[in-house]
Amino acid sequence: MPNAPWVICRWHITEEEIKVAVVTAFNKLVTERAGANVASRSCASTSASCASEEIAANARLVRQTLCDTAELEREKASLGQELAVLVEMTQNCIAENARIAQDQGEYQKRYNGLVERYEKAKARFDEVMEAIAERSAKGERLAGFIRTLEAQTEPVAEFDERFWGTMVDYVTVGVDGGMTVVFRDGTDILV
């Protein structure tokens, strides 16, 4: 596949170019939002800090919406109770088989049914736990994004690794060599 776009690389992007793109994208994001706020007169403070406030407010809304685990926590509690009941039912099934003579085919069928139900519930429990962990981690990343943004009162003059870690999710390089910086709040800026 010599003509496949994911095989051919025509650009060599340096670390410095990525750093410049990140700084440019952040400043562009802040200035574009600041210009919109000044035009609408929706913010009484300076335009740069107004933009930061708006971005932080949007990030808080994104965090609240996408990182909410309340429904998952309820499902986790329900599944935990179901698992406990299934364990008890399985133990009772085994104990009954040990003290009462019964058809072993019927016993095995009942036991296998309980084990199958347990395994299904446990698999869903594990999925829910993983989803809670993912949402919580995303929430922490967005919280760091918001804290950094609120602390940033002026445009960024130079790249800072801490800034990268708290503000930027990833950078993509297009086929034309243009870079898109995607921030942790989901905003993307083409540089």
Side-chain angles (χ1 to χ4, degrees), residues 91-111:
Q91 289 172 340
N92 290 342
C93 179
I94 293 169
E96 182 181 321
N97 186 52
R99 60 172 201 273
I100 300 172
Q102 55 184 305
D103 179 5
Q104 289 303 297
E106 284 297 315
Y107 161 75
Q108 196 63 45
K109 188 176 178 181
R110 202 168 95 209
Y111 174 81

Side-chain angles (χ1 to χ4, degrees), residues 55-76:
I55 296 167
N58 289 342
R60 278 196 231 33
L61 182 60
V62 166
R63 182 175 183 237
Q64 181 181 11
T65 305
L66 297 181
C67 303
D68 181 30
T69 61
E71 186 64 34
L72 289 171
E73 292 289 348
R74 284 191 289 277
E75 185 177 358
K76 173 185 153 192

Side-chain angles (χ1 to χ4, degrees), residues 22-98:
V22 168
V23 170
T24 303
F26 178 77
N27 291 335
K28 186 176 180 181
L29 174 70
V30 171
T31 20
E32 283 178 3
R33 297 269 173 100
N37 287 331
V38 169
S40 67
R41 304 236 184 252
S42 65
C43 190
S45 57
T46 66
S47 61
S49 67
C50 180
S52 292
E53 290 170 18
E54 179 187 350
I55 296 167
N58 289 342
R60 278 196 231 33
L61 182 60
V62 166
R63 182 175 183 237
Q64 181 181 11
T65 305
L66 297 181
C67 303
D68 181 30
T69 61
E71 186 64 34
L72 289 171
E73 292 289 348
R74 284 191 289 277
E75 185 177 358
K76 173 185 153 192
S78 173
L79 287 166
Q81 290 173 350
E82 182 180 351
L83 288 171
V85 167
L86 287 168
V87 165
E88 185 177 343
M89 289 173 69
T90 304
Q91 289 172 340
N92 290 342
C93 179
I94 293 169
E96 182 181 321
N97 186 52

Side-chain angles (χ1 to χ4, degrees), residues 122-135:
K122 178 68 168 118
R124 179 62 189 152
F125 182 84
D126 292 343
E127 288 172 9
V128 168
M129 291 296 292
E130 187 176 325
I132 289 171
E134 287 173 8
R135 286 187 186 185

